[in-house]
Every structure is written in structure tokens, then in C-alpha cells.
Amino acid sequence: MTKGFIDIGDARLPVMKLVATLGPRVEPITYWVMIGDSAVRGNFEQHLARLRYGLSGKVPYGLVVRASTISANEAESYLIEEEFLRDMLGAVSWEHRRMLIGTGV
């Protein structure tokens, strides 16, 4: 598992990348977790976001956004996933985009 970013216009979206395998099936995955209005990567960032919301008394929504391909070519798969995610985020309304990437991006 590695931390990365996807450039989406004038912002950089923090993402996680990993490869899942099952027998001969290889599936590169790009994902991020939304906790309230923050896109977070990994356990540490998720714990900080939960702590921040807990101390504020607010209950945040949670959301996982994931894209994957089935291919042994990881580099090509990640490029395809990034292009798909940029196109998807560009196709939704600002309100929905904000729910998917947060306000801190």
C-alpha cells in the first residue's frame, strides 16, 4: 500500500494505492476515504479526522471512493484509474464533487 495524489484541476487529491491478488487475478486499486469534509489516507489520518470531529461534537459522514482494474500492468492500471476518477469528478455537480473530495483538497 502506498500513499499518492491525483491532480484534479487546481487541487491534489490524497489517495491510497494497493494491489489485490487472488490466484492469477491481479487488481490494482486506487481509493480514498472521506470523513466529513476531509479526504484522508491511511489509519493515522483517519484517526486524526475522527478525533477532530469527536472533540468538536459533530458526527461526520463517512465514504469510501474506489476505482480498480483487473490487470497485471500496475502502472498502466493506475493511469487508467486516475483518468476515470478525474472524468467522474468533472462530470458531477459541485455539491456532489464536494462530498466526494471534501473542502480541504
Side-chain angles (χ1 to χ4, degrees):
M1 213 177 320
T2 60
K3 292 181 178 184
F5 290 94
I6 296 177
D7 291 319
I8 51 170
D10 59 350
R12 297 182 77 203
L13 178 65
V15 299
M16 296 294 290
K17 295 182 178 188
L18 64 97
V19 177
T21 59
L22 179 61
R25 179 184 167 134
V26 179
E27 185 175 358
I29 302 167
T30 301
Y31 76 96
W32 67 92
V33 175
M34 291 297 303
I35 297 178
D37 62 357
S38 300
V40 295
R41 303 176 295 187
N43 289 332
F44 182 73
E45 290 180 20
Q46 289 179 40
H47 289 304
L48 282 178
R50 283 195 286 269
L51 179 63
R52 188 176 68 243
Y53 276 101
L55 292 173
S56 74
K58 296 178 183 175
V59 178
Y61 71 92
L63 178 73
V64 176
V65 182
R66 173 185 184 241
S68 66
T69 52
I70 298 173
S71 172
N73 187 333
E74 292 176 36
E76 182 179 285
S77 292
Y78 288 135
L79 290 174
I80 291 168
E81 292 165 16
E82 287 180 22
E83 182 179 358
F84 168 78
L85 291 166
R86 273 193 294 274
D87 289 348
M88 178 190 76
L89 292 170
V92 298
S93 69
W94 171 246
E95 178 183 348
H96 291 114
R97 185 174 189 241
R98 199 174 124 247
M99 289 181 66
L100 293 170
I101 66 171
T103 57
V105 172

